[in-house]
Amino acid sequence: MKREDVDVLVVGSGAGGLASAVSAVHRGLKVIVAEKEAVFGGTTARSGGWSWIPNNAPAKRAGVQDSVDKARTYLKHEAGEHYDSAKVEAFLEAGPKAVDFFESQTSLQFDLGPTFSDYHPTAPGGMDGGRSIVARPFDGRELGKEIKRLRPPLREITVLGMMIGSGKELLHFFNVTRSPISALFVTGLVAKFARDVTFHGRSMRLMNGNALIARLAKSCFDKGVPIWTSAPVRTLIRDDSGRVTGAVVNRPDGPVEVHARKGVVLAAGGFPQDSVRRKELMPHAPSGHEHVSPAPPGNTGDGLRLGEAVGATVNTELPNSAAWVPVSRPPMGNGLLGTFPHFVDRSKPGVIAVTRSGKRFVNEAQSYHDFCQAMVKRCQEEGGPDAELAAWFVADHRTFRKYGLGFAKPSPVPYKSLVKQGYLIQGKTIADRSEERRVGTECLP
């Protein structure tokens, strides 16, 4: 068997893995990143890519008034009996330092989300904005040939493959038929997108989680850190004392023993596509198949199993084993259903959410996590522990054409095919379609 000797082996190529690799190589260590899938980026590359870090540098540059005491108060309130003082203090101290390091030493640059509030901004220590940051848009051409190995964004939340930023950029798309300025802005983006597809086969204007991964990967490549793809880790190697000293990695050219002098970082993600562990940790989903996830199909809990195999344990005492988000299943062609996460729809003006009873169950503007917890609770109150966990977004035609709804885009994009396929239900009154609610836009955590 082939052998490689390094200081650090990183398992997984999402934001956690690549950030670890960049940090290690900047300390003079030799690093290899091993990724099981054929593309790098993990779930992060499909995500919004936002980070919640109090007292971050972009906020300070913008004059945001925050403090460690205020953030600590907020976390104490939110965590309740699960508050871990040591972890919180480490996070509050290291978080701003990490932002400073990446902005000053690597290709990663951040923008502030001034209107992205804390999940509970009215809670003690909460803020209306200033703690959430996102990677600055990135030109994919800077990755050179490696752009072909970058995981593309989630198709369902793009416009024909074009990524759209949050905030002002999204508002331009909503106002494209009503504002000449917005129309000009969107036309320019579409023209650049068409150019990129023609010459590169995909958008080169990377946003959100895709930009975060691209910037971290660029920082790895600049320092000579290889990212092995199609290279799953099969087992960890331990010495006679039980210390983990490496791993066996199955590369396309055969297995390799990677010996890591300083350690192995397990950054292979959670278990969103592991139905067995979902069944164990989600009592309201007894088969493990009740939920769908926008995470990549390869995110199956490998890191957890590798850790358990050498004596680690998974904490099962926390009240939620996932960050819930409502999801609908748009038709994607060839009989396949997509996975559309409703991060924005909940708070669009004129949109409400109802359960099968036709009653609202939550303030739709609350966080997606709160939304789904309220949905599960109400569905079980109305239908018992075995009830279908589903809800429907309802809006009038004017709201729908102005803002869109889920996978259905705003005017002037046509939508009739989605009505025929059952993704959308249209009627002159709510009662007109009440018997057909079941085939509407279901929202699954």
Side-chain angles (χ1 to χ4, degrees):
M1 187 182 298
K2 295 179 181 178
R3 173 173 174 146
E4 290 274 354
D5 289 278
V6 296
D7 293 306
V8 178
L9 170 64
V10 177
V11 183
S13 65
L18 295 187
S20 299
V22 172
S23 300
V25 74
H26 272 266
R27 286 164 173 78
L29 302 178
K30 182 179 179 182
V31 186
I32 286 176
V33 178
E35 166 59 49
K36 69 181 284 189
E37 298 206 68
V39 289
F40 60 79
T43 299
T44 305
R46 288 185 164 192
S47 74
W50 289 84
S51 300
W52 189 86
I53 303 177
N55 299 295
N56 61 74
K60 292 178 181 178
R61 293 194 293 264
V64 174
Q65 299 299 312
D66 195 2
S67 71
V68 171
D69 288 341
K70 193 173 182 179
R72 184 186 298 113
T73 297
Y74 178 73
L75 289 171
K76 277 187 177 180
H77 178 271
E78 294 298 285
E81 63 181 12
H82 299 284
Y83 182 80
D84 186 321
S85 178
K87 289 186 175 66
V88 168
E89 294 305 316
F91 168 69
L92 293 177
E93 179 183 357
K97 292 180 180 178
V99 173
D100 292 341
F101 162 74
F102 284 111
E103 288 201 315
S104 64
Q105 302 296 321
T106 78
S107 296
L108 181 52
Q109 302 296 306
F110 292 103
D111 287 330
L112 181 68
T115 61
F116 276 66
S117 71
D118 294 345
Y119 276 2
H120 301 127
T122 61
M127 292 182 61
D128 291 328
R131 290 171 172 168
S132 293
I133 55 177
V134 66
R136 191 165 296 164
F138 187 68
D139 186 344
R141 290 174 293 186
E142 292 193 36
L143 283 178
K145 65 179 182 179
E146 296 291 1
I147 186 68
K148 295 180 180 179
R149 291 201 297 151
L150 171 65
R151 180 183 294 282
L154 186 65
R155 174 187 168 192
E156 290 88 328
I157 60 175
T158 68
V159 178
L160 301 176
M162 179 172 63
M163 288 170 270
I164 301 174
S166 306
K168 292 182 179 179
E169 186 166 308
L170 188 61
L171 290 177
H172 279 304
F173 277 84
F174 287 152
N175 294 322
V176 67
T177 62
R178 289 174 292 277
S179 165
I181 294 177
S182 293
L184 184 63
F185 178 84
V186 171
T187 299
L189 290 184
V190 171
K192 292 178 181 177
F193 172 68
R195 177 204 64 193
D196 289 345
V197 171
T198 299
F199 291 103
H200 303 284
R202 60 163 292 171
S203 175
M204 290 293 111
R205 183 174 176 268
L206 309 183
M207 309 288 293
N208 300 324
N210 222 238
L212 175 58
I213 289 298
R215 286 182 174 277
L216 285 171
K218 177 68 162 51
S219 302
C220 283
F221 296 139
D222 286 347
K223 284 289 190 176
V225 175
I227 301 177
W228 292 353
T229 47
S230 300
V233 172
R234 292 309 182 199
T235 185
L236 296 177
I237 300 172
R238 290 190 285 178
D239 61 18
D240 293 338
S241 68
R243 176 178 175 270
V244 175
T245 58
V248 176
V249 182
N250 279 5
R251 284 173 45 95
D253 57 350
V256 180
E257 274 194 3
V258 179
H259 291 262
R261 290 179 287 269
K262 299 295 185 180
V264 177
V265 177
L266 296 180
F271 58 97
Q273 304 294 6
D274 181 357
S275 60
V276 174
R277 201 176 294 266
R278 289 202 309 236
K279 180 179 179 179
E280 293 174 355
L281 298 181
M282 300 176 183
H284 62 277
S287 77
H289 296 283
E290 286 80 1
H291 295 302
V292 293
S293 172
N299 196 339
T300 55
D302 295 357
L304 300 183
R305 287 190 294 274
L306 287 169
E308 288 172 328
V310 294
T313 58
V314 175
N315 186 350
T316 61
E317 296 179 357
L318 299 177
N320 283 281
S321 56
W324 308 114
V325 62
V327 166
S328 61
R329 309 301 309 276
M332 305 301 289
N334 298 322
L336 300 176
L337 294 178
T339 305
F340 186 96
H342 292 259
F343 291 116
V344 178
D345 280 320
R346 307 175 330 281
S347 57
K348 289 178 179 177
V351 176
I352 64 170
V354 300
T355 57
R356 181 174 297 283
S357 67
K359 298 178 180 179
R360 288 181 71 197
F361 57 91
V362 72
N363 174 357
E364 293 84 1
Q366 290 181 355
S367 78
Y368 40 83
H369 186 75
D370 291 343
F371 179 102
C372 285
Q373 289 190 83
M375 184 186 76
V376 170
K377 180 180 178 181
R378 178 62 65 84
C379 287
Q380 292 183 336
E381 288 174 349
E382 295 176 348
D386 298 326
E388 178 187 30
L389 305 180
W392 287 260
F393 287 121
V394 181
D396 63 18
H397 187 75
R398 181 173 60 178
T399 293
F400 166 61
R401 293 312 280 154
K402 182 176 182 179
Y403 296 109
L405 191 62
F407 187 67
K409 305 301 185 288
S411 178
V413 179
Y415 67 94
K416 291 292 186 180
S417 64
L418 295 176
V419 175
K420 292 179 180 178
Q421 293 166 323
Y423 181 75
L424 297 174
I425 294 173
Q426 185 179 33
K428 292 182 179 180
T429 66
I430 293 177
D432 187 35
R433 291 300 183 190
S434 62
E435 293 301 316
E436 296 187 44
R437 283 202 305 267
R438 191 177 186 283
V439 294
T441 304
E442 297 187 4
C443 304
L444 303 174

